[in-house]
Amino acid sequence: CIFGDGATNIGYFHEALNLSKAWGLRVLWVCENNKYGMGTTVERASAVLDIQQKAEGYAMKNSQVDGMDVMKVYEAAQEAINYVRTESQPYLLEAITYRYRGHSMGDPERYRKAEEVKKWQENDPIGIFNKYLLEKKIATRKTLDEIEARVEEEVLKAVEFAEASPE
């Protein structure tokens, strides 16, 4: 079950964690903590800043991972899902990540500074994964550049299609 940090302040979240633990449900709860619920920082909206700690109130195993690193997320998810499957118990995994754009098209983004966004962009998940692929010799720079070019072309075609389509 995947949700954002803002959802953890709602009663249903706590009811769901409680029942999943009380009934021994095999659920992997994954919180994508991008630091903002709509336009409000986690610090302003939650008394608990590390979302993973909210699982402690239900005696639920939990952990936190760098959500900007796809391989770290993969490894943490593997560990968590193995626990859920073997122990028949729920687990909460918090992935710390960041959203570069506003929550919606109408979001004026007045709640954060450009420097903050730029800082996070320096640790972009695609760049981190590309570096991993190159270091492990899984891919070459040429291959990654070709993939990126194909993706750009596919996105441009999708935009052209959408713009040419009737309302």
Side-chain angles (χ1 to χ4, degrees):
C1 178
I2 301 174
F3 50 92
D5 49 275
T8 69
N9 298 322
I10 299 170
Y12 295 127
F13 168 78
H14 296 279
E15 291 173 17
L17 287 191
N18 180 56
L19 287 177
S20 70
K21 182 62 180 176
W23 294 346
L25 301 179
R26 297 168 71 170
V27 179
L28 174 55
W29 300 101
V30 180
C31 177
E32 181 183 334
N33 183 352
N34 62 26
K35 304 295 188 182
Y36 293 93
M38 294 291 282
T40 306
T41 64
V42 170
E43 288 83 5
R44 289 189 62 207
S46 180
V48 177
L49 302 184
D50 287 330
I51 303 300
Q52 75 176 73
Q53 287 184 328
K54 293 184 179 187
E56 297 288 335
Y58 307 100
M60 185 182 299
K61 189 165 171 123
N62 61 82
S63 64
Q64 188 180 77
V65 66
D66 176 359
M68 301 297 273
D69 187 324
V70 67
M71 294 309 296
K72 287 181 181 174
V73 172
Y74 177 78
E75 291 164 6
Q78 286 293 106
E79 184 178 313
I81 200 68
N82 286 340
Y83 173 84
V84 168
R85 289 175 176 157
T86 59
E87 301 299 321
S88 294
Q89 289 293 313
Y91 188 108
L92 188 138
L93 175 62
E94 177 186 13
I96 305 294
T97 186
Y98 196 78
R99 137 168 77 78
Y100 299 142
R101 300 232 167 106
H103 193 269
S104 67
M105 294 289 286
D107 186 345
E109 297 187 65
R110 294 188 186 116
Y111 48 87
R112 60 186 181 177
K113 299 193 181 319
E115 298 82 35
E116 176 185 331
V117 177
K118 186 175 181 187
K119 175 187 160 271
W120 279 90
Q121 287 174 328
E122 291 170 3
N123 292 308
D124 181 73
I126 295 171
I128 292 170
F129 189 54
N130 280 351
K131 183 178 176 188
Y132 170 86
L133 294 172
L134 293 169
E135 287 175 354
K136 299 287 184 183
K137 299 192 185 320
I138 296 168
T140 64
R141 170 56 48 208
K142 182 181 179 211
T143 303
L144 295 176
D145 289 344
E146 288 170 357
I147 291 169
E148 191 170 325
R150 286 197 314 265
V151 168
E152 285 292 326
E153 184 179 327
E154 187 175 334
V155 169
L156 286 174
K157 285 181 182 176
V159 169
E160 288 173 9
F161 174 80
E163 289 176 344
S165 297
E167 293 287 331

Coordinates of all heavy atoms in Angstrom, one line a residue, residues 22-97:
A22 N -2.9 -5.9 14.5 CA -3.7 -6.7 15.4 C -4.2 -8.0 14.7 O -4.3 -9.1 15.3 CB -5.0 -5.9 15.8
W23 N -4.4 -8.0 13.4 CA -4.9 -9.1 12.7 C -3.8 -9.9 12.0 O -4.0 -10.9 11.3 CB -6.0 -8.7 11.7 CG -7.2 -8.2 12.3 CD1 -7.6 -8.4 13.6 CD2 -8.3 -7.5 11.6 NE1 -8.8 -7.8 13.8 CE2 -9.3 -7.2 12.6 CE3 -8.5 -7.1 10.3 CZ2 -10.4 -6.6 12.3 CZ3 -9.6 -6.4 10.0 CH2 -10.6 -6.1 11.0
G24 N -2.5 -9.4 12.1 CA -1.4 -10.1 11.4 C -1.5 -10.1 9.9 O -1.3 -11.1 9.3
L25 N -1.9 -9.0 9.4 CA -2.1 -8.9 7.9 C -0.7 -8.7 7.2 O 0.1 -8.0 7.7 CB -3.0 -7.8 7.5 CG -4.4 -7.8 8.1 CD1 -5.2 -6.6 7.6 CD2 -5.1 -9.1 7.7
R26 N -0.6 -9.4 6.1 CA 0.6 -9.3 5.3 C 0.6 -8.1 4.4 O 0.3 -8.2 3.2 CB 0.8 -10.6 4.5 CG 1.0 -11.8 5.5 CD 0.8 -13.1 4.7 NE 2.0 -13.3 3.9 CZ 2.3 -14.4 3.3 NH1 1.5 -15.5 3.4 NH2 3.4 -14.5 2.6
V27 N 0.9 -6.9 5.0 CA 0.8 -5.7 4.2 C 2.2 -5.0 4.3 O 2.7 -4.8 5.4 CB -0.2 -4.7 4.8 CG1 -0.3 -3.4 4.0 CG2 -1.6 -5.4 4.8
L28 N 2.7 -4.5 3.2 CA 3.9 -3.7 3.2 C 3.3 -2.3 2.9 O 2.8 -1.9 1.9 CB 4.8 -4.1 2.0 CG 6.0 -3.1 1.9 CD1 6.8 -2.9 3.2 CD2 7.0 -3.6 0.8
W29 N 3.4 -1.5 4.0 CA 3.0 -0.1 3.9 C 4.2 0.7 3.5 O 5.3 0.7 4.1 CB 2.6 0.4 5.3 CG 1.5 -0.3 5.9 CD1 1.5 -1.3 6.9 CD2 0.1 -0.1 5.6 NE1 0.3 -1.7 7.2 CE2 -0.7 -1.0 6.4 CE3 -0.6 0.7 4.7 CZ2 -2.0 -1.1 6.4 CZ3 -2.0 0.6 4.7 CH2 -2.7 -0.3 5.5
V30 N 4.1 1.5 2.4 CA 5.2 2.3 1.8 C 4.8 3.7 1.8 O 3.9 4.1 1.1 CB 5.6 1.8 0.4 CG1 6.8 2.6 -0.2 CG2 5.9 0.3 0.4
C31 N 5.5 4.5 2.6 CA 5.3 6.0 2.6 C 6.3 6.7 1.8 O 7.5 6.6 2.0 CB 5.4 6.5 4.1 SG 5.1 8.3 4.2
E32 N 5.8 7.4 0.8 CA 6.7 8.2 -0.1 C 6.7 9.6 0.6 O 5.8 10.4 0.4 CB 6.1 8.3 -1.5 CG 6.9 9.1 -2.4 CD 6.3 9.3 -3.8 OE1 5.6 8.4 -4.2 OE2 6.6 10.3 -4.4
N33 N 7.7 9.8 1.4 CA 7.8 11.1 2.1 C 8.6 12.1 1.3 O 9.8 12.1 1.3 CB 8.5 10.9 3.5 CG 8.6 12.1 4.3 OD1 8.2 13.2 3.8 ND2 9.0 12.0 5.5
N34 N 7.9 13.0 0.6 CA 8.5 14.0 -0.2 C 8.6 15.3 0.5 O 8.8 16.3 -0.2 CB 7.8 14.1 -1.6 CG 6.4 14.5 -1.5 OD1 6.0 15.2 -0.6 ND2 5.6 14.1 -2.5
K35 N 8.4 15.3 1.8 CA 8.6 16.4 2.7 C 7.4 17.4 2.7 O 7.4 18.4 3.5 CB 9.9 17.2 2.3 CG 11.1 16.4 2.4 CD 11.4 15.9 3.8 CE 12.7 15.2 3.9 NZ 12.9 14.7 5.3
Y36 N 6.5 17.3 1.8 CA 5.3 18.2 1.7 C 4.0 17.5 1.5 O 3.9 16.7 0.5 CB 5.5 19.2 0.6 CG 6.7 20.2 0.8 CD1 7.9 19.9 0.3 CD2 6.5 21.3 1.5 CE1 9.0 20.8 0.5 CE2 7.5 22.2 1.7 CZ 8.8 21.9 1.2 OH 9.8 22.8 1.4
G37 N 3.1 17.7 2.3 CA 1.7 17.2 2.1 C 1.0 18.4 1.5 O 0.8 19.4 2.2
M38 N 0.7 18.3 0.2 CA 0.2 19.5 -0.5 C 1.2 20.6 -0.4 O 2.4 20.4 -0.8 CB -1.2 20.0 -0.1 CG -2.3 18.9 -0.3 SD -2.7 18.7 -2.0 CE -3.7 20.1 -2.3
G39 N 0.9 21.7 0.2 CA 1.9 22.8 0.3 C 2.4 23.0 1.7 O 2.9 24.1 2.1
T40 N 2.2 22.0 2.6 CA 2.6 22.1 4.0 C 3.7 21.2 4.3 O 3.7 20.0 4.0 CB 1.4 21.8 4.9 OG1 0.3 22.6 4.5 CG2 1.7 22.0 6.3
T41 N 4.8 21.7 4.9 CA 5.9 20.8 5.3 C 5.5 19.8 6.4 O 4.6 20.1 7.2 CB 7.1 21.6 5.8 OG1 6.7 22.3 7.1 CG2 7.6 22.7 4.8
V42 N 6.2 18.7 6.4 CA 6.0 17.7 7.4 C 6.2 18.3 8.8 O 5.4 18.0 9.7 CB 6.9 16.5 7.2 CG1 6.9 15.5 8.4 CG2 6.6 15.7 5.9
E43 N 7.2 19.2 8.9 CA 7.5 19.8 10.2 C 6.3 20.6 10.7 O 6.1 20.7 11.9 CB 8.7 20.7 10.1 CG 10.0 20.0 9.9 CD 10.3 19.6 8.5 OE1 9.5 19.9 7.6 OE2 11.3 18.9 8.3
R44 N 5.5 21.2 9.9 CA 4.3 22.0 10.3 C 3.1 21.1 10.5 O 2.2 21.5 11.3 CB 4.0 23.1 9.2 CG 5.0 24.2 9.2 CD 4.6 25.3 8.3 NE 3.4 25.9 8.9 CZ 2.5 26.5 8.1 NH1 2.7 26.7 6.8 NH2 1.4 27.1 8.6
A45 N 3.0 19.9 9.9 CA 1.8 19.2 9.9 C 1.8 18.0 10.8 O 0.8 17.4 11.2 CB 1.5 18.7 8.5
S46 N 3.0 17.5 11.2 CA 3.1 16.3 12.0 C 4.0 16.5 13.2 O 5.1 17.1 13.1 CB 3.7 15.2 11.1 OG 3.8 14.0 11.9
A47 N 3.6 16.0 14.4 CA 4.4 16.0 15.6 C 5.5 15.0 15.5 O 6.5 15.2 16.2 CB 3.5 15.7 16.8
V48 N 5.4 14.0 14.6 CA 6.5 13.0 14.4 C 7.0 13.3 13.0 O 6.4 13.2 12.0 CB 5.9 11.6 14.5 CG1 6.9 10.5 14.2 CG2 5.3 11.4 15.8
L49 N 8.3 13.6 13.0 CA 9.0 14.0 11.7 C 9.4 12.7 10.9 O 9.4 12.7 9.7 CB 10.1 14.9 11.9 CG 9.7 16.2 12.6 CD1 10.9 17.1 12.7 CD2 8.6 16.9 12.0
D50 N 9.9 11.7 11.6 CA 10.2 10.5 10.9 C 9.0 9.6 10.9 O 8.6 9.0 11.9 CB 11.3 9.7 11.7 CG 12.7 10.4 11.6 OD1 13.0 11.0 10.5 OD2 13.5 10.3 12.5
I51 N 8.4 9.6 9.7 CA 7.1 8.9 9.5 C 7.2 7.4 10.0 O 6.2 6.9 10.5 CB 6.6 9.0 8.1 CG1 6.5 10.5 7.6 CG2 5.3 8.2 7.9 CD1 5.5 11.3 8.4
Q52 N 8.3 6.8 9.7 CA 8.5 5.4 10.1 C 8.2 5.2 11.6 O 7.7 4.1 12.0 CB 9.9 4.9 9.8 CG 10.9 5.4 10.8 CD 12.3 4.9 10.6 OE1 13.0 5.3 9.6 NE2 12.7 4.0 11.5
Q53 N 8.4 6.2 12.4 CA 8.2 6.0 13.9 C 6.7 5.9 14.2 O 6.4 5.4 15.3 CB 8.8 7.2 14.6 CG 10.3 7.3 14.7 CD 10.8 8.4 15.5 OE1 10.2 9.5 15.6 NE2 11.9 8.2 16.2
K54 N 5.8 6.3 13.3 CA 4.4 6.1 13.6 C 4.0 4.7 13.7 O 3.0 4.3 14.4 CB 3.6 6.9 12.5 CG 3.8 8.4 12.6 CD 2.9 9.1 11.6 CE 3.1 10.6 11.8 NZ 2.2 11.4 11.0
A55 N 4.8 3.8 13.1 CA 4.5 2.4 13.2 C 4.9 1.8 14.6 O 4.3 0.8 15.0 CB 5.4 1.6 12.1
E56 N 5.8 2.5 15.3 CA 6.2 2.1 16.6 C 5.0 2.0 17.6 O 4.9 1.1 18.4 CB 7.2 3.0 17.2 CG 8.5 3.1 16.4 CD 9.4 1.8 16.6 OE1 9.2 1.1 17.6 OE2 10.2 1.6 15.6
G57 N 4.0 2.9 17.4 CA 2.8 2.9 18.3 C 2.0 1.6 18.1 O 1.1 1.3 19.0
Y58 N 2.3 0.9 17.1 CA 1.5 -0.4 16.8 C 2.4 -1.6 16.9 O 2.1 -2.7 16.4 CB 0.8 -0.3 15.5 CG 0.0 1.0 15.4 CD1 0.4 2.1 14.7 CD2 -1.2 1.1 16.1 CE1 -0.3 3.3 14.7 CE2 -2.0 2.3 16.1 CZ -1.5 3.4 15.4 OH -2.2 4.6 15.5
A59 N 3.6 -1.4 17.5 CA 4.6 -2.5 17.6 C 4.9 -3.1 16.2 O 5.1 -4.3 16.1 CB 4.2 -3.5 18.6
M60 N 5.0 -2.3 15.2 CA 5.2 -2.7 13.8 C 6.6 -2.5 13.4 O 7.2 -1.4 13.6 CB 4.2 -2.0 12.9 CG 4.2 -2.5 11.5 SD 3.1 -1.5 10.4 CE 1.6 -1.8 11.2
K61 N 7.2 -3.5 12.8 CA 8.6 -3.4 12.3 C 8.5 -2.3 11.2 O 7.6 -2.2 10.4 CB 9.1 -4.7 11.7 CG 10.5 -4.7 11.4 CD 11.1 -6.1 11.2 CE 12.4 -6.0 10.6 NZ 13.5 -6.6 11.4
N62 N 9.6 -1.5 11.1 CA 9.7 -0.4 10.2 C 11.1 0.0 9.9 O 12.0 -0.4 10.6 CB 8.9 0.8 10.8 CG 9.6 1.3 12.0 OD1 10.5 2.0 12.0 ND2 9.0 0.8 13.2
S63 N 11.3 0.7 8.8 CA 12.6 1.3 8.4 C 12.4 2.5 7.5 O 11.3 2.8 7.0 CB 13.5 0.2 7.8 OG 12.9 -0.2 6.5
Q64 N 13.6 3.1 7.2 CA 13.6 4.3 6.4 C 14.7 4.1 5.4 O 15.7 3.5 5.7 CB 13.9 5.5 7.3 CG 13.7 6.9 6.6 CD 14.1 8.0 7.6 OE1 15.2 8.2 7.9 NE2 13.0 8.6 8.1
V65 N 14.4 4.6 4.2 CA 15.4 4.5 3.1 C 15.5 5.8 2.3 O 14.6 6.5 2.2 CB 15.0 3.3 2.2 CG1 13.7 3.5 1.4 CG2 16.1 2.9 1.2
D66 N 16.7 6.0 1.6 CA 16.9 7.1 0.7 C 16.1 6.8 -0.5 O 16.5 6.0 -1.4 CB 18.4 7.2 0.4 CG 18.7 8.3 -0.6 OD1 17.8 9.0 -1.1 OD2 19.9 8.5 -0.9
G67 N 15.0 7.5 -0.7 CA 14.1 7.3 -1.8 C 14.6 7.9 -3.1 O 14.0 7.7 -4.2
M68 N 15.7 8.5 -3.1 CA 16.3 9.1 -4.3 C 17.2 8.1 -4.9 O 17.7 8.3 -6.0 CB 17.1 10.4 -3.9 CG 16.2 11.5 -3.3 SD 14.9 12.1 -4.4 CE 15.7 13.3 -5.3
D69 N 17.5 7.0 -4.3 CA 18.4 6.0 -4.8 C 17.6 4.7 -5.1 O 17.3 4.0 -4.1 CB 19.6 5.7 -3.8 CG 20.6 4.8 -4.3 OD1 20.3 3.8 -5.0 OD2 21.8 5.0 -3.9
V70 N 17.4 4.4 -6.3 CA 16.5 3.3 -6.7 C 17.0 2.0 -6.2 O 16.3 1.1 -5.8 CB 16.2 3.3 -8.2 CG1 17.5 3.0 -9.0 CG2 15.1 2.3 -8.6
M71 N 18.3 1.8 -6.2 CA 18.9 0.5 -5.7 C 18.7 0.3 -4.2 O 18.5 -0.8 -3.7 CB 20.3 0.4 -6.1 CG 20.5 0.3 -7.7 SD 19.5 -1.0 -8.5 CE 20.1 -2.5 -7.7
K72 N 18.9 1.4 -3.5 CA 18.6 1.3 -2.0 C 17.2 1.0 -1.7 O 16.9 0.3 -0.8 CB 19.1 2.6 -1.3 CG 20.6 2.8 -1.2 CD 20.9 4.1 -0.6 CE 22.5 4.3 -0.5 NZ 22.8 5.6 0.0
V73 N 16.3 1.6 -2.5 CA 14.8 1.4 -2.3 C 14.6 -0.1 -2.7 O 13.8 -0.8 -1.9 CB 14.0 2.3 -3.2 CG1 12.5 1.9 -3.2 CG2 14.1 3.8 -2.7
Y74 N 15.1 -0.6 -3.7 CA 15.0 -2.0 -4.1 C 15.4 -2.9 -3.0 O 14.7 -3.8 -2.7 CB 15.7 -2.2 -5.4 CG 15.7 -3.7 -5.9 CD1 14.5 -4.2 -6.5 CD2 16.7 -4.5 -5.6 CE1 14.5 -5.5 -6.9 CE2 16.7 -5.9 -6.0 CZ 15.5 -6.4 -6.6 OH 15.5 -7.7 -7.0
E75 N 16.6 -2.7 -2.5 CA 17.1 -3.5 -1.4 C 16.2 -3.5 -0.1 O 15.9 -4.5 0.5 CB 18.5 -3.2 -1.1 CG 19.5 -3.5 -2.2 CD 20.8 -2.8 -2.1 OE1 21.1 -2.1 -1.1 OE2 21.6 -2.9 -3.1
A76 N 15.8 -2.2 0.2 CA 15.0 -2.1 1.4 C 13.6 -2.7 1.2 O 13.1 -3.4 2.1 CB 14.8 -0.6 1.8
A77 N 13.1 -2.6 0.0 CA 11.8 -3.2 -0.3 C 11.9 -4.7 -0.3 O 10.9 -5.4 0.2 CB 11.3 -2.7 -1.6
Q78 N 13.0 -5.3 -0.8 CA 13.2 -6.7 -0.8 C 13.2 -7.2 0.7 O 12.5 -8.2 1.0 CB 14.5 -7.1 -1.5 CG 14.4 -7.0 -3.0 CD 13.5 -8.0 -3.6 OE1 12.4 -7.7 -4.0 NE2 13.8 -9.3 -3.6
E79 N 13.9 -6.5 1.5 CA 14.0 -6.9 2.9 C 12.7 -6.9 3.6 O 12.3 -7.8 4.3 CB 15.0 -6.0 3.6 CG 15.3 -6.4 5.1 CD 16.3 -5.5 5.7 OE1 17.4 -5.3 5.1 OE2 16.0 -5.0 6.9
A80 N 11.9 -5.8 3.3 CA 10.6 -5.6 4.0 C 9.6 -6.6 3.5 O 8.9 -7.2 4.3 CB 10.1 -4.1 3.7
I81 N 9.6 -6.8 2.2 CA 8.6 -7.8 1.7 C 8.9 -9.2 2.1 O 8.0 -10.0 2.4 CB 8.4 -7.7 0.2 CG1 7.1 -8.3 -0.3 CG2 9.5 -8.3 -0.6 CD1 5.8 -7.6 0.2
N82 N 10.2 -9.5 2.2 CA 10.6 -10.8 2.8 C 10.1 -11.0 4.2 O 9.6 -12.1 4.6 CB 12.1 -11.0 2.7 CG 12.6 -11.3 1.3 OD1 11.8 -11.7 0.4 ND2 13.8 -11.0 1.0
Y83 N 10.2 -9.9 5.0 CA 9.7 -10.0 6.4 C 8.2 -10.2 6.4 O 7.7 -11.1 7.1 CB 10.1 -8.7 7.1 CG 9.4 -8.6 8.5 CD1 10.0 -9.2 9.6 CD2 8.2 -8.0 8.7 CE1 9.4 -9.2 10.8 CE2 7.6 -7.9 9.9 CZ 8.2 -8.5 11.0 OH 7.6 -8.4 12.2
V84 N 7.5 -9.4 5.6 CA 6.0 -9.6 5.5 C 5.6 -11.0 5.2 O 4.7 -11.6 5.8 CB 5.4 -8.5 4.5 CG1 4.0 -8.8 4.2 CG2 5.6 -7.1 5.0
R85 N 6.3 -11.5 4.2 CA 5.9 -12.9 3.7 C 6.3 -14.0 4.7 O 5.5 -14.9 4.9 CB 6.6 -13.2 2.4 CG 6.0 -12.4 1.2 CD 6.8 -12.6 -0.1 NE 6.1 -11.8 -1.1 CZ 6.7 -11.5 -2.2 NH1 8.0 -11.7 -2.4 NH2 6.1 -10.8 -3.2
T86 N 7.5 -13.9 5.3 CA 7.9 -15.0 6.2 C 7.3 -14.9 7.6 O 7.0 -15.9 8.2 CB 9.5 -15.0 6.3 OG1 9.9 -13.7 6.8 CG2 10.1 -15.3 5.0
E87 N 7.1 -13.6 8.1 CA 6.6 -13.5 9.4 C 5.0 -13.3 9.5 O 4.5 -13.2 10.6 CB 7.2 -12.2 10.1 CG 8.7 -12.4 10.2 CD 9.2 -13.6 11.0 OE1 8.5 -13.9 12.1 OE2 10.2 -14.2 10.7
S88 N 4.4 -13.1 8.3 CA 3.0 -12.8 8.2 C 2.6 -11.7 9.1 O 1.6 -11.7 9.8 CB 2.2 -14.1 8.6 OG 2.4 -15.1 7.6
Q89 N 3.4 -10.6 9.0 CA 3.1 -9.4 9.8 C 3.3 -8.2 8.9 O 4.1 -8.2 7.9 CB 4.1 -9.3 10.9 CG 3.8 -10.3 12.1 CD 2.5 -10.0 12.8 OE1 2.2 -8.9 13.1 NE2 1.7 -11.1 13.0
P90 N 2.7 -7.1 9.2 CA 2.8 -5.9 8.4 C 4.2 -5.2 8.7 O 4.9 -5.5 9.7 CB 1.7 -5.0 8.8 CG 1.4 -5.4 10.2 CD 1.7 -6.9 10.3
Y91 N 4.6 -4.3 7.8 CA 5.8 -3.6 7.8 C 5.7 -2.2 7.2 O 5.0 -2.1 6.2 CB 6.9 -4.4 7.1 CG 8.3 -3.9 7.2 CD1 9.2 -4.7 7.9 CD2 8.8 -2.8 6.6 CE1 10.6 -4.3 8.0 CE2 10.1 -2.3 6.7 CZ 11.0 -3.1 7.4 OH 12.3 -2.7 7.5
L92 N 6.2 -1.2 7.8 CA 6.1 0.2 7.3 C 7.5 0.6 6.8 O 8.5 0.6 7.5 CB 5.6 1.2 8.3 CG 5.3 2.6 7.6 CD1 4.0 3.1 8.2 CD2 6.5 3.5 7.9
L93 N 7.6 0.9 5.5 CA 8.9 1.4 4.9 C 8.7 2.8 4.4 O 7.7 3.1 3.7 CB 9.2 0.5 3.7 CG 10.4 1.0 2.8 CD1 11.7 0.9 3.7 CD2 10.6 0.1 1.6
E94 N 9.5 3.7 5.0 CA 9.4 5.2 4.6 C 10.6 5.5 3.6 O 11.7 5.3 3.9 CB 9.6 6.0 5.9 CG 9.6 7.5 5.6 CD 9.9 8.4 6.8 OE1 10.3 7.8 7.8 OE2 9.7 9.6 6.7
A95 N 10.2 6.0 2.5 CA 11.2 6.4 1.5 C 11.3 7.9 1.4 O 10.3 8.6 1.1 CB 10.8 5.9 0.1
I96 N 12.4 8.4 1.8 CA 12.6 9.9 1.8 C 13.0 10.3 0.4 O 14.0 9.9 -0.2 CB 13.8 10.3 2.8 CG1 13.5 9.8 4.2 CG2 13.9 11.8 2.8 CD1 12.3 10.4 4.9
T97 N 12.1 11.1 -0.2 CA 12.3 11.6 -1.5 C 11.9 13.1 -1.6 O 11.8 13.7 -0.6 CB 11.5 10.7 -2.5 OG1 11.8 11.0 -3.8 CG2 10.0 10.8 -2.2

